[in-house]
Amino acid sequence: MSTKTARMGGVMGVWEAADRLERLAQELRAGSLGLSAGRVSMHLSPAVMLDVEIRASQASDREGLDVRLSWSPHRPEAASLRGEF
């Protein structure tokens, strides 16, 4: 199977960004994520255990937060904790 990638980006207000993240969290809890960007649409089914990476950066002119969730849909037991929370 080939890899499909949908990427959403752009500038939005903090409230709009928070609303989008909350909708993604609700879909994650429900066990099904639907994403589309441009001509690419996909349906994701998260495993019970996820690999989670959260990275914050801060410079004098820019701050950021990167959140990455990944899983193996065929091997949910393969996920493990890394780092500290």
Side-chain angles (χ1 to χ4, degrees):
M1 180 176 150
S2 65
T3 301
K4 290 194 313 186
T5 301
R7 184 176 199 160
M8 187 185 89
V11 176
M12 61 179 68
V14 68
W15 288 97
E16 184 181 356
D19 286 344
R20 179 66 183 139
L21 291 170
E22 286 173 349
R23 282 194 303 276
L24 285 171
Q26 290 170 349
E27 291 179 17
L28 182 64
R29 284 186 193 102
S32 177
L33 294 166
L35 301 166
S36 67
R39 290 184 255 175
V40 178
S41 293
M42 65 183 74
H43 175 81
L44 304 175
S45 299
V48 174
M49 297 297 292
L50 308 174
D51 285 323
V52 179
E53 181 180 345
I54 301 172
R55 183 174 60 107
S57 60
Q58 186 177 43
S60 61
D61 62 340
R62 190 103 172 144
E63 297 179 339
L65 181 67
D66 296 319
V67 178
R68 180 178 171 86
L69 307 175
S70 61
W71 59 90
S72 174
H74 306 293
R75 294 184 26 165
E77 74 282 357
S80 62
L81 292 176
R82 296 185 185 102
E84 297 178 12
F85 290 92

